Structures are given as structure tokens and as C-alpha cells.
Amino acid sequence: MFIAIPLVDAISGRDSGVAKAATIAGAIAFVVIFVAVTKVERKPLPDAQAFATVAALLAISVAMTIADREGWATLFVFSVASIAMSVRQPYAFPTVLLCSALCAGSLLARGSALGTAISFATPTLGIGMLMLVMADLRNRNRELYEARSEIARLAVAQERVRFARDLHDLLGHSLSVIALKAELAGRLLPGQAPEAAEHVAEIEQVARGALTEVRDAVGGYRQPTLANELAGAQMALSAAGITPHVERPAVKLDPAVEAVLAWTVREGATNVIRHSGADHCSVTVSAGLGEAGVEVVDDGRGGDGERALVNGHEGHGLEGLTERVEALHGQLEAGSRPEGGFRLAVQVPVATS
């Protein structure tokens, strides 16, 4: 509408046909360029494209204002809007000032009064500043949307890592016991059928427990208990021919702390069974006023065997345990002992009751 008013005046005036044709062509060119800028989804534009677009709009605005009539000064309002949309900072603000100055200068050049120049230039500057604020808000909203999308993507990735870690920790111990029991049962058959049957029954029990654990993990609510893990560790160590020694104080712990200690018992026992070649293994649970912990110590090969768990392909369980301990601001130590064997120790802050 604002462009149509001076266009109608120009067409209905007494100007020559050439002048009218030039005015119509200029108005059409201005509208086409302005609409093209508004249709571009990704703003601001590249610098070269932005400056070329702004230069074309300003050139048409200046030429039509000076050569035809002062009503065409409204084109500077559209020009300043396109500047805010297409030109990036820090160039946008100076370009808005330039556009406002050109608006006033063009009117004065064609002989308009100073008041008229000010009356056109002032709203041009004001609209330009408002459009700059809106453009900045649009950019910040886009950045916020992108940041939220990235946070969501990272949350999904983190949950996948957690789920993979939990499945490793859950199944690693249970499958090790199943494999060990199956091997023992195979050795006892057929000469010692009763003992073999006992191991087969325990295989079934462990397999059913592993299935339940996986189902619980998929449900997202499963947390191991210290009592169950200590009992499972004793059974698994004994089945592997390793004499277990377990100590646990009668202290109630926070569920989150108990879960970390239970994971430690499971990981430590699994490591001893798989890699230590030990004859004895002690699992000691401690709880004080300020912290609680678990220490798993064996008399096996130490660095020659179990260190592979930390540095090699099978280190995922210990890495997952480290993440759990760090989440509670605790400490984890794992390494060979000077007197032989391997030691895994975890200490976490705790409030006891």
C-alpha cells in the first residue's frame, strides 16, 4: 500500500511516458528485490550478497525520491528493514544509519523542506533500530533451538552409553558364572552325576537371574543390592575354585551408595574369576561416618593378567564402574599389589544410619 500511493500519483501525473515507465520499472524492481530478501530462510545473507542487495534497494530509493517525488522516501523504510534482515553485525547498525542519512539527504537534494526530511528520516531510523532488535532476537532464538537440539542429542547418546554399560555390567558377571558352571558340569558328567546336576541347577538359577536383570535394566529401574552381589560373588568364586572371604558391617546405606558398592563387588569378582588365576579372594565392605567402600583383593597374577581389564578391550566394565563412582564424587583405585595379586578399591562419601 505504501508503495502503491506514490506509484498511483506518478502514473496519474503529467510526467512523460518514459518517466512513468521508468517509475513503474523502478517500483517493480524494488518490490522484487525486497520480496526475494524476505523469502530467504537463512539470514543474515553472505556479506557480498547482502551488500549487493542493500546497494540495489538504496540506489532505487535515492533515484526515485530525487527524480520523481518525495513520496518515494517511504522506500527507505523497506530498505532499512531489509538491512536488518540481511546484513550481519557489526555491519548492520552502521548501514541502518547510512540508510537514514540517505533518506534525509535525498529529500533535501530534491528541494524538500528540512522538516519533511526529518519526518521521513526519523521513522526510518526508528524502524531500522526496531528491526535490528527483532533480528537479534530471531538469531538468539535460532541459537537456543540449535542448543536445545544438541542437548537432546547428547542426552540420547549418554543414555545409550549408560544402557550399554549397564548391560555389560549385568551380563558379564552372570554369563561368566554360567560358562564356568557349564564347564564344571561337563567335566563331572557322567562319572559324578549328582554333583553335575547341582551345577546344572545353579546354571538355570543364574540364567534366570540374568534374564530378570536384563528385563529390569530395560525397564530402567534396576539397582543391584549389596547382599545379593556378595552372595553371588561367593557362589561364583567358589565355583571357580577360588576360596572367598567376605566381610560386611551391619550398616544400612543410601540406595545410590549401596548400588555403587554392589557394582564394585560384581565387577571385582568377575575380574578375579576371568583373569586372576587366584586361589583366594577377599571382599571387604567398610562403612564409616564419612564414607563407605569396597575392597576386592586376590592373590593371583596381578598385573600380568588383570591389568588387561583396565588397558585392553575388556576394560568397559571398569570404565563403567569409574563413571558410577565419579558420579558420587568417590574414588576408585585398581592395580597390582607389591606382594602379588590385584586390588580393586572404591570409596564414596556416605551418610550412614
Side-chain angles (χ1 to χ4, degrees):
M1 181 183 66
F2 289 106
I3 294 178
I5 293 174
L7 181 61
V8 170
D9 291 341
I11 295 175
S12 60
R14 298 180 179 180
D15 296 333
S16 65
V18 175
K20 292 181 180 181
T23 300
I24 295 173
I28 294 175
F30 187 95
V31 171
V32 169
I33 296 173
F34 181 81
V35 172
V37 171
T38 62
K39 291 297 184 180
V40 177
E41 295 183 1
R42 189 68 178 181
K43 300 182 180 69
L45 302 178
D47 288 346
Q49 183 180 354
F51 289 132
T53 301
V54 170
L57 293 176
L58 290 178
I60 296 173
S61 302
V62 171
M64 295 181 69
T65 301
I66 295 177
D68 189 25
R69 62 196 69 239
E70 66 184 20
W72 287 116
T74 55
L75 295 180
F76 288 100
V77 174
F78 296 95
S79 299
V80 84
S82 69
I83 291 171
M85 287 187 290
S86 60
V87 180
R88 67 180 180 88
Q89 294 290 5
Y91 306 115
F93 179 68
T95 310
V96 167
L97 295 180
L98 174 63
C99 181
S100 302
L102 287 175
C103 177
S106 299
L107 289 167
L108 293 175
R110 67 165 281 105
S112 299
L114 178 61
T116 301
I118 294 176
S119 67
F120 276 97
T122 300
T124 298
L125 178 60
I127 292 175
M129 299 302 296
L130 177 62
M131 291 296 294
L132 286 178
V133 172
M134 294 179 63
D136 182 68
L137 180 61
R138 180 193 64 221
N139 292 334
R140 293 184 184 274
N141 285 339
R142 183 177 65 248
E143 292 173 357
L144 179 61
Y145 175 80
E146 293 174 352
R148 293 179 62 180
S149 299
E150 180 66 12
I151 290 173
R153 187 190 66 79
L154 292 176
V156 172
Q158 184 178 8
E159 182 63 16
R160 287 175 177 172
V161 171
R162 183 199 67 80
F163 190 73
R165 179 194 65 197
D166 286 355
L167 284 182
H168 173 275
D169 293 347
L170 287 168
L171 293 179
H173 175 77
S174 299
L175 294 179
S176 295
V177 175
I178 291 174
L180 181 62
K181 289 288 186 180
E183 181 182 356
L184 292 176
R187 292 178 181 177
L188 293 174
L189 288 173
Q192 304 181 47
E195 292 84 351
E198 180 180 352
H199 285 296
V200 171
E202 291 179 350
I203 290 175
E204 180 183 2
Q205 178 184 354
V206 173
R208 292 185 182 276
L211 179 60
T212 300
E213 289 172 344
V214 172
R215 287 173 175 171
D216 290 344
V218 172
Y221 58 82
R222 197 262 181 194
Q223 288 286 7
T225 62
L226 192 55
N228 289 343
E229 294 305 325
L230 288 172
Q234 283 184 292
M235 180 186 70
L237 290 169
S238 298
I242 302 173
T243 303
H245 177 71
V246 176
E247 295 182 10
R248 181 196 177 186
V251 177
K252 184 178 180 181
L253 300 172
D254 179 82
V257 173
E258 181 178 357
V260 170
L261 300 187
W263 286 118
T264 304
V265 172
R266 172 175 286 216
E267 181 65 21
T270 302
N271 293 352
V272 172
I273 293 171
R274 286 181 175 178
H275 305 278
S276 71
D279 295 321
H280 300 83
C281 176
S282 65
V283 181
T284 305
V285 180
S286 59
L289 296 177
E291 62 181 13
V294 168
E295 183 182 58
V296 181
V297 178
D298 65 69
D299 59 356
R301 292 186 293 268
D304 294 335
E306 289 168 274
R307 185 172 296 173
L309 276 166
V310 183
N311 300 321
H313 177 69
E314 296 185 73
H316 300 296
L318 202 56
E319 291 175 3
L321 180 60
T322 301
E323 293 176 4
R324 299 178 197 275
V325 173
E326 290 178 348
L328 295 183
H329 307 289
Q331 294 182 340
L332 182 146
E333 298 179 2
S336 301
R337 300 190 302 158
E339 62 271 31
F342 195 84
R343 174 178 177 268
L344 171 65
V346 165
Q347 293 288 333
V348 293
V350 62
T352 58
S353 59

